[in-house]
Amino acid sequence: MDKPCSALDPKGTEAVEESLWDLRGKCTILIVTHNMARARRASEECIFMLMRKVIEYCETGVMFLTPESRETAD
């Protein structure tokens, strides 16, 4: 999501994110982003990886509000 949305204004980025929600249930979508706000807005589940290792995998709300791992919280 970083490259497709990097040059978009907020309204354009919102349109892309809304399109992702429209596709929910029709296909599996994997999003890779460094933008934590975008990850929180555009996903139901998150995987946090660090140095090629999966640190945490859970529902997005849980990960952002009460992460289990110290690395995720940091």
Side-chain angles (χ1 to χ4, degrees), residues 11-45:
K11 193 168 186 122
T13 299
E14 182 181 359
V16 171
E17 292 173 2
E18 285 178 7
S19 295
L20 295 174
W21 285 111
D22 290 343
L23 292 170
R24 186 177 50 180
K26 298 175 186 167
C27 60
T28 300
I29 301 170
L30 176 66
I31 299 170
V32 177
T33 185
H34 293 93
N35 184 315
M36 296 300 101
R38 181 173 297 128
R40 192 171 184 180
R41 287 191 309 264
S43 67
E44 294 176 326
E45 299 174 313

Side-chain angles (χ1 to χ4, degrees), residues 41-59:
R41 287 191 309 264
S43 67
E44 294 176 326
E45 299 174 313
C46 278
I47 299 172
F48 174 66
M49 297 178 72
L50 182 64
M51 303 297 289
R52 299 183 303 248
K53 180 181 172 190
V54 173
I55 303 298
E56 192 163 346
Y57 168 66
C58 60
E59 291 181 19

Side-chain angles (χ1 to χ4, degrees), residues 8 24 26 64-65 68:
L8 296 178
R24 186 177 50 180
K26 298 175 186 167
F64 280 92
L65 295 177
E68 290 185 17

